[in-house]
Amino acid sequence: MPGLPLLLLLLLWDVGSHGFPTASSGAQEQDAELVQNYLRKYYHLRTGTNKPSRQRSSSLVTEKLKQMQMFFGLKVTGKADADTLTLMRQPRCGVPDVAPYTLGEKTLRWEHTHLTYRLENYTPDLPRADVDRAIDRAFQLWSNASALTFTRVSEGQADIMISFVWRDHGDNNPFGGPGNILAHAFPPGGGIGGDVHFDEEKRWTKDFRDFNLYHVAAHEVGHSLRLLHDGDIESLMFSNYNYYGDNLLTQRDIDAIQALYGPSKNPIQPRERQVPQACDSKLTFDAITKIRGELYFFKNRFFLRTGPFYKTGELGAIADFWVPLSRGVDAAYEVASRDEVFFKYSKVWAFNAAKMRRGYPKDIYHSLGFPHTVKSIDAAVHEEESGKTYFFVASKYWRYDENTRSMDTGFPKEIAHGFPGIGKKVDAVFQERGFFYFFRGKSTDLILTQSGF
Ligand SMILES: *[C@@H]1O[C@H](CO)[C@@H](O)[C@H](O)[C@H]1NC(C)=O
Ligand SMILES: [Zn+2]
Ligand SMILES: [Zn+2]
């Protein structure tokens, strides 16, 4: 957590490692159960009813853990390490990651390219028109990218039946149990084949709040069309939920659907998401911060890192270090070469050496004291000398005291007053040798100002 005095951190660490053995072994038991459930559900771990020896069962778990870590591109340790547990706790799709279709007969794909779908009921979370629009767009996404066409029907049996259900709903795949399953879908076929179920007990939205119905529907319809999970964190068919705007398809997704059904006749082909080019002069940044002496420039799912001598930058994927932020950040800062703090929408994440601190993500309202009118942070910078952090939101800025862990009074102020010459909005900012470096618009529009306001 940002700004905890060092002494308190050491104290907490001490308590956690020796203080309360019962509490920590309780947590370990919970972790072990999470791992078992997860591997059983998504990796077909069979810990049989005839009670295999402890040793045999633990070596099975190790094998499945390795398989899971390989699938997600994590470090393959065969152990339930922190990265693995973090990933397992994230909300996800209920369809297994490996060989999901062991139904005896081989399910291939739909034999016809014209399919029907029917929405059997609505969620009360959204107006009906919004639900219709989300579902229609999910089908349009796939018809735009392939030779498939879809028609919505309002009665009778459709190829793909869609419903909002809860708990045990008669298909042996209840919602609401341990784990965080949002929805599931069945591969092509008659009867339940192709059908999509959303967990009604989740909150469905049409924006970035959990959970965006269009995004989840697009993923599930992918399964209805015979696509499997993709371990590439970029793919729409990645197993875990992670909202990143409406541009959903990667080239891999497009290739996968076209391999099954052929290309679209639509003259406007879907555009895959773009990877930033380091030397593009039109490049803008989402966030910039120093981390352990190196400067990180964040853009979409990537960062550009420059060493102390500012030679050529090195491009990396955010997912390589900060798994939960793999889809991008709005703002970032570092406290005392110790905590990396990131913002996306109204949430804040704190990491220590790329390990997420316990209890995160948090919302910016309770943890930092922002008013609810603030929906996201444009930029943030921490000033080591004063222990203050500055947050930039549209034309205003706030100042936060990392020692007292509270917002300073008298804020927000106008950027134009506190930092004359910066303009009305900031994209990114970092501090270096007593200067704040502000970025707005194109990366060449660099503005320098002395810090200390
Ligand atoms: C499908 O393509 C059309 C253009 O042909 C576009 O207007 C529409 O937004 C696309 N739909 C989706 C969901 O991408
Ligand atoms: Zn899925
Ligand atoms: Zn179901």
Short mmCIF file of all heavy atoms in Angstrom, two decimals, residues 22 193 260 349 426:
data_model
loop_
_atom_site.label_atom_id
_atom_site.label_comp_id
_atom_site.label_asym_id
_atom_site.label_seq_id
_atom_site.Cartn_x
_atom_site.Cartn_y
_atom_site.Cartn_z
N THR A 22 -2.02 -20.05 13.02
CA THR A 22 -3.33 -20.59 12.65
C THR A 22 -3.95 -19.80 11.51
O THR A 22 -4.48 -20.37 10.58
CB THR A 22 -4.30 -20.58 13.85
OG1 THR A 22 -4.09 -19.39 14.57
CG2 THR A 22 -4.09 -21.79 14.74
N GLY A 193 -26.40 -27.48 -27.37
CA GLY A 193 -25.23 -27.07 -28.16
C GLY A 193 -25.35 -25.62 -28.61
O GLY A 193 -26.40 -25.21 -29.08
N LEU A 260 -12.35 -21.72 -39.46
CA LEU A 260 -13.53 -22.59 -39.34
C LEU A 260 -14.58 -22.29 -40.41
O LEU A 260 -15.20 -23.20 -40.95
CB LEU A 260 -14.17 -22.41 -37.95
CG LEU A 260 -13.43 -23.02 -36.77
CD1 LEU A 260 -14.04 -22.52 -35.46
CD2 LEU A 260 -13.50 -24.54 -36.82
N TRP A 349 -4.24 0.02 -8.08
CA TRP A 349 -3.49 -1.19 -7.77
C TRP A 349 -2.14 -0.79 -7.16
O TRP A 349 -1.51 0.13 -7.68
CB TRP A 349 -3.19 -1.97 -9.04
CG TRP A 349 -4.29 -2.78 -9.63
CD1 TRP A 349 -4.45 -4.13 -9.54
CD2 TRP A 349 -5.37 -2.33 -10.47
NE1 TRP A 349 -5.57 -4.53 -10.25
CE2 TRP A 349 -6.15 -3.45 -10.83
CE3 TRP A 349 -5.76 -1.07 -10.93
CZ2 TRP A 349 -7.28 -3.37 -11.62
CZ3 TRP A 349 -6.89 -0.97 -11.72
CH2 TRP A 349 -7.63 -2.12 -12.06
N VAL A 426 -3.61 16.91 -18.83
CA VAL A 426 -2.31 16.24 -18.81
C VAL A 426 -2.52 14.77 -19.17
O VAL A 426 -3.47 14.15 -18.71
CB VAL A 426 -1.70 16.35 -17.39
CG1 VAL A 426 -0.43 15.54 -17.30
CG2 VAL A 426 -1.44 17.79 -17.04
#
